[in-house]
Structures are given as C-alpha cells and as structure tokens.
Amino acid sequence: FRFGSAVPASRLLDTVNPDNLRFQEEVARLFNTVTFENDLKWPAIGDGSLSTVNRAVDWLKAHDIDVRGHCLLWGSYKHLPPAVRELRGDELLAACKAHVADYATRMRGKVYLWDVVNEAGSNVEVWDSIGWESFADSFRWARAADPDVKLCYNDYGIIDERPEYPAKVAQRRRVRPVDLLAGEHVDEVAG
C-alpha cells in the first residue's frame, strides 16, 4: 500500500545542509509516495518551481518513490496566481482550462495521480464564477491531457462523524465522485 508524506521539493535536492540530507534519508527509508507541499500548486508556476520539481521527481524515481500531484485547481481566488486573481467568468474559465491542460501535460508520466480539485466544499469562489459544471469538466481536461494518470478529488472532513461538511461538499458539486466523468470514475477521493 502507499505510505507517504508531503515534502518540499527543494529539500530533496540540497546536498549540503545536514538537516536536508537526513530528511532525504528518512524519505527514502520510510515512504513509497510523496506529495509536494506547494511546488505544484498553481501560484508556484511563476517562481521556477517546475524545474525544481522535475529534478526532485528524478530523485524520487531513483529511490522508487511515486509522486502524487497536488493540486490543479483550488477554488478560492487567494489560491490563484496574482495574474489570474482578477479574472471572472469566461476569462477565468479559459485560464483554468489552460492551466489544467498545461500542467497535466507537463507532468505526464511524472505523477501517478493528480488531485484535480482541492477543497470545493469550502473554497467556492472560482466555481461560483466559472460555473459548477466546470468542476466535472476539470477532470475531463486532466484526463485529456494525461489519459493514464489517476484523478482524485481532495478535501478534508469528507469521512467525518459530523455529516454537515460532506453533505455540503456533495451539494455544492452536485455530483458524486463516481458521476464526475460521465461513465468513468474518479480513482480516489482523499480526505
């Protein structure tokens, strides 16, 4: 089974700092999957993180560790790159679609799974602007860009003894995970 942790890509590449060297040893010893903490989130694109991610993916592959991509879309304006935060409606929809297609294509074969949508139960501004049907469409865009990657919806509190939040998530996205791809299914729902 998969056992992993969230890690910053840069810590896997440092060959000097003793703390990072120890971190690398422990990652290689303990885990068979890794999720980059922030390196694959949309706002990270502008700071050159994809180059760092690609080198970190190489390090992980050399240690037989798979990578979970987190996340393609996060529905709050604060989780968008500054250049996209002011877009609304069709312009924002086009930017979201282009981002999903671009990043899923650029990471094809490097991640075994993408968290396509993150926390749509509590981060709703983007979906309210571009339309909730785009929630399901985002999985289609990712599938078109990488037919072999697993697709996932990620959220907290989905499996919870309090039914309010899972019910809110289900109501807001108006579909069940198995219905997202019109005949296909989401490979995992994390929470």
Side-chain angles (χ1 to χ4, degrees):
F1 65 91
R2 295 191 186 276
F3 186 74
S5 184
V7 303
S10 62
R11 290 196 74 183
L12 300 176
L13 303 174
D14 184 346
T15 59
V16 177
N17 182 316
D19 289 338
N20 287 338
L21 295 174
R22 171 74 192 275
F23 181 81
Q24 293 164 21
E25 289 174 14
E26 294 304 314
V27 168
R29 183 176 72 84
L30 295 172
F31 305 122
N32 62 14
T33 189
V34 158
T35 302
F36 293 118
E37 287 181 341
N38 294 307
D39 301 281
L40 287 176
K41 293 176 181 170
W42 196 356
I45 291 173
D47 65 8
S49 72
L50 197 53
S51 171
T52 301
V53 165
N54 284 330
R55 290 183 296 128
V57 166
D58 291 343
W59 187 95
L60 291 163
K61 296 290 183 194
H63 291 86
D64 294 320
I65 300 172
D66 292 329
V67 179
R68 178 184 184 128
H70 179 79
C71 62
L72 290 171
L73 293 175
W74 199 351
S76 174
Y77 297 135
K78 71 182 179 183
H79 299 303
L80 297 174
V84 179
R85 284 186 190 143
E86 302 304 317
L87 300 179
R88 298 296 183 267
D90 289 341
E91 289 180 319
L92 180 56
L93 174 62
C96 289
K97 183 176 182 178
H99 168 68
V100 170
D102 177 50
Y103 241 44
T105 298
R106 290 165 77 180
M107 295 305 295
R108 184 182 308 147
K110 298 175 185 175
V111 298
Y112 77 95
L113 178 147
W114 266 112
D115 290 332
V116 178
V117 174
N118 192 49
E119 299 177 3
S122 57
N123 291 266
V124 301
E125 298 164 321
V126 169
W127 306 111
D128 286 346
S129 177
I130 67 175
W132 280 89
E133 64 279 0
S134 299
F135 180 101
D137 289 340
S138 65
F139 285 82
R140 293 182 188 96
W141 306 330
R143 176 63 67 222
D146 186 349
D148 298 321
V149 73
K150 292 178 181 251
L151 304 177
C152 183
Y153 169 69
N154 186 67
D155 212 323
Y156 61 89
I158 295 297
I159 302 172
D160 198 317
E161 292 181 17
R162 297 165 295 138
E164 299 84 21
Y165 189 78
K168 183 171 147 182
V169 171
Q171 185 276 327
R172 282 205 169 131
R173 58 192 166 97
R174 297 184 180 96
V175 291
R176 298 173 309 136
V178 295
D179 296 332
L180 282 175
L181 296 176
E184 296 180 44
H185 69 280
V186 173
D187 299 294
E188 295 184 26
V189 175

